[in-house]
Amino acid sequence: MTTNTSTGTSTNAGTEGAAGAAGVPAGPAPAPAVAGPPRLDLAKSAPKVFRSLIGFDAAAREGLDPALVELIQIRSSHLNHCAYCLHMHTNDARKAGESEDRLHMVPVWREARHFFTERECAALALTEAVTLVADGGVPDDVYARAAAVFDDQELAHVLALILTINTWNRVALATAKVAGTDTR
């Protein structure tokens, strides 16, 4: 998550009404994002807090494979229903060379393990457990699996990254960030 503060609306530019170019019904057009009353801009209202979150996020990423970072952020954003962060991190992953196949398989990684390394699977499982911690804590087997494939320093960074993306998801959701408005 960045310092984006826009709360614009999306448009359906390029749609062709009720029928597509070939005369085939285009289906329902996506509903435009409706901007409600402006919400708090954390970066402007609490800049020291915001800079601290950015610093925590940057420190968490240190030494981690960028592809792993994006997978963790994407999975947590799925689970938290954070469209703003999901849009941002899937785009970041694409820009970093991530394949569409792997991006599509993140929500169902258990059924598509052959798309991911053992380290990625362990990180995804830990991401789910920590993100959904209220549903039953972090099971010992999930933690042990991650501890078996990451050394202590890496595991600390993976855990810190999971904590930061969960924080960013909550910031975006609480402040009603609109997917597709990131202006980094």
Side-chain angles (χ1 to χ4, degrees):
M1 171 121 172
T2 64
T3 59
N4 174 35
T5 59
S6 70
T7 57
T9 59
S10 64
T11 64
N12 292 326
T15 60
E16 299 184 38
V24 178
V34 178
R39 290 198 179 174
L40 178 77
D41 181 337
L42 189 66
K44 289 181 180 175
S45 299
K48 190 173 181 180
V49 170
F50 194 81
R51 283 191 308 273
S52 294
L53 287 174
I54 290 172
F56 182 33
D57 186 85
R61 295 164 183 263
E62 284 182 16
L64 294 178
D65 174 33
L68 180 66
V69 168
E70 295 304 333
L71 291 175
I72 289 169
Q73 293 177 127
I74 290 166
R75 187 62 186 132
S76 183
S77 298
H78 279 135
L79 295 169
N80 286 322
H81 303 269
C82 184
Y84 180 84
C85 292
L86 182 59
H87 182 267
M88 179 189 310
H89 293 296
T90 54
N91 281 340
D92 289 350
R94 283 182 193 97
K95 289 175 190 169
E98 188 60 76
S99 74
E100 289 297 317
D101 281 344
R102 281 176 32 108
L103 290 175
H104 291 296
M105 294 299 115
V106 172
V108 293
W109 67 268
R110 282 183 178 82
E111 292 79 22
R113 290 176 192 221
H114 60 286
F115 282 91
F116 304 100
T117 68
E118 181 55 32
R119 287 168 57 94
E120 291 167 341
C121 288
L124 289 167
L126 186 61
T127 299
E128 290 176 358
V130 173
T131 299
L132 303 173
V133 70
D135 292 346
V138 177
D140 289 339
D141 63 323
V142 171
Y143 185 86
R145 180 181 184 190
V149 296
F150 294 105
D151 65 33
D152 286 351
Q153 184 177 3
E154 291 171 322
L155 184 56
H157 282 262
V158 166
L159 181 57
L161 183 66
I162 296 166
L163 299 175
T164 62
I165 187 56
N166 273 279
T167 300
W168 286 126
N169 289 165
R170 283 151 178 77
V171 168
L173 290 165
T175 61
K177 294 289 189 186
V178 176
T181 62
D182 175 47
T183 58
R184 292 177 296 154

